[in-house]
Amino acid sequence: MRLKSLAVFVPGILAVAVIAITVSARTFAAPSGIPDWLQAHVGDGDGEISQVVLERARALYQKKVSQGAVHNGCYFAMDATRPGDLGGGALGRRYYVICEAKQSFRAISSGHGGGRNLKGVVDFSNGKRCAKNFGNALDSSLTMGGAYMTSEAKTSFKGFYRVGAKQDQILQRTFIQFDGEGETANARQRVIGGHAARLLRGMCLRKKPNSSYADHDGFVPYGKLVDYAGGRSNGCTSWSPADADRIISMVKGNPTTLYIYPESRDIAAVGKSGTYWNASCLKEIGKPKFWPRQRLEPIIAQYKKDNPPPPAQPLPICSGP
């Protein structure tokens, strides 16, 4: 009887152990309720999303869905601690488009805030590859980490550019306004949003009286098209034209959430156990810095007062045909 009971008891122990191991493995594979297919994209390599970034982005999205503020099936995240330029023409994929219902995960490139160098006063500029300075001050051109929601889309005419002999193309750029909360609450005041990384430089005026964009003298603005997908922004998230078209079509009239890492608390915690920062960029920048608006805005305002811009000059007439 005793041997028989033991024989029954031992398989029972083994079965419980197997179940416990299985549950433990599943829990380890998918912490915080993250589904297995999405957990497979978690990591610190290019095109992967780091655990803390995904968890916070997912929590923000679920919160806004539960509040009824978001009905979009997709949400966004960005890891601004990662390199934007990998060298050799390759761009770091650190902006994430996640659609859980479709089990879709996509990582793309995005610019970070270039900051500014107020010469003789203070330098909070960022390099092209890695961001060292972050903040939420007006006119700082810095990236601010935290919670955002996409809002209205605004399309504006930027000018014409030449694509061939006497062949012109119009540049119109759509801007998706972001609304933030907490430290990102002044996103609208800062005109922070997302758009294609394209602009016109070297502007001049050319006669085009039949254009609907012509001024009262029949002139329209022309410039040289610049794609700066591998560069920096004025604090916005900027994408390649193709990626911008896809993202804008996803959120136009259908808002969703965007979580940008790092927040000020993450910057303050660098060097402490358990704090995440991209290792490659951390080695390059040394220690990141957060510039709160209360400190930086008075400095910027005084600099502008001491260094007023020259009077605006009218655009020159284009040379050549």
Side-chain angles (χ1 to χ4, degrees):
M1 283 291 292
R2 186 176 178 185
L3 289 175
K4 185 176 180 182
S5 298
L6 187 61
V8 172
F9 184 62
V10 169
I13 293 175
L14 293 174
V16 171
V18 168
I19 292 171
I21 291 170
T22 303
V23 171
S24 177
R26 284 177 181 167
T27 302
F28 180 77
S32 306
I34 297 172
D36 290 341
W37 72 267
L38 184 52
Q39 186 66 30
H41 293 284
V42 172
D44 295 333
D46 180 55
E48 296 178 322
I49 185 169
S50 295
Q51 186 76 42
V52 64
V53 181
L54 175 58
E55 288 178 353
R56 291 187 192 176
R58 199 164 185 263
L60 173 64
Y61 173 71
Q62 291 175 342
K63 172 187 170 184
K64 295 301 183 182
V65 168
S66 68
Q67 292 174 347
V70 168
H71 303 282
N72 199 310
C74 305
Y75 59 97
F76 306 136
M78 181 181 175
D79 183 353
T81 75
R82 291 176 179 250
D85 188 342
L86 302 180
L91 302 181
R93 295 175 295 160
R94 54 184 180 173
Y95 191 97
Y96 310 99
V97 180
I98 304 165
C99 308
E100 293 195 24
K102 298 179 181 178
Q103 295 193 8
S104 169
F105 175 92
R106 189 161 178 263
I108 62 176
S109 64
S110 178
H112 60 254
R116 298 177 64 186
N117 182 4
L118 306 183
K119 294 183 179 180
V121 180
V122 64
D123 183 359
F124 49 92
S125 60
N126 283 319
K128 195 173 176 181
R129 202 180 102 84
C130 297
K132 177 177 182 175
N133 297 292
F134 300 82
N136 57 355
L138 287 171
D139 299 323
S140 66
S141 296
L142 291 173
T143 293
M144 180 66 231
Y148 297 89
M149 274 191 60
T150 63
S151 190
E152 73 272 15
K154 309 169 189 175
T155 301
S156 56
F157 167 73
K158 300 298 181 181
F160 288 83
Y161 61 96
R162 283 280 161 96
V163 293
K166 295 187 178 182
Q167 291 183 324
D168 301 330
Q169 187 72 39
I170 294 174
L171 177 61
Q172 288 185 310
R173 197 174 74 177
T174 299
F175 173 83
I176 298 292
Q177 175 68 55
F178 294 165
D179 285 318
E181 54 189 55
E183 289 182 321
T184 68
N186 64 340
R188 186 172 287 270
Q189 189 182 7
R190 293 185 64 204
V191 198
I192 297 297
H195 55 78
R198 303 181 94 188
L199 53 76
L200 296 178
R201 284 206 174 114
M203 301 297 290
C204 60
L205 294 174
R206 185 170 274 131
K207 201 81 169 178
K208 204 177 182 72
N210 294 329
S211 172
S212 59
Y213 297 103
D215 63 16
H216 62 279
D217 293 319
F219 287 96
V220 295
Y222 272 75
K224 181 182 178 182
L225 181 66
V226 176
D227 185 329
Y228 61 98
R232 290 151 291 186
S233 69
N234 290 331
C236 295
T237 56
S238 52
W239 315 292
S240 72
D243 287 331
D245 287 345
R246 281 190 284 265
I247 289 173
I248 291 167
S249 67
M250 290 172 63
V251 300
K252 204 169 183 179
N254 191 14
T256 192
T257 57
L258 163 63
Y259 178 77
I260 298 180
Y261 185 92
E263 299 178 44
S264 63
R265 57 176 167 147
D266 304 307
I267 297 168
V270 169
K272 297 178 181 178
S273 177
T275 303
Y276 163 72
W277 201 276
N278 178 265
S280 173
C281 276
L282 189 60
K283 182 179 179 181
E284 182 174 311
I285 66 176
K287 186 172 176 60
K289 186 166 184 175
F290 176 72
W291 299 81
R293 61 181 303 185
Q294 295 85 350
R295 178 186 173 192
L296 196 53
E297 282 183 5
I299 297 174
I300 295 173
Q302 186 62 49
Y303 183 84
K304 289 168 70 175
K305 184 178 179 181
D306 296 338
N307 299 272
Q313 297 296 320
L315 291 178
I317 303 300
C318 300
S319 60

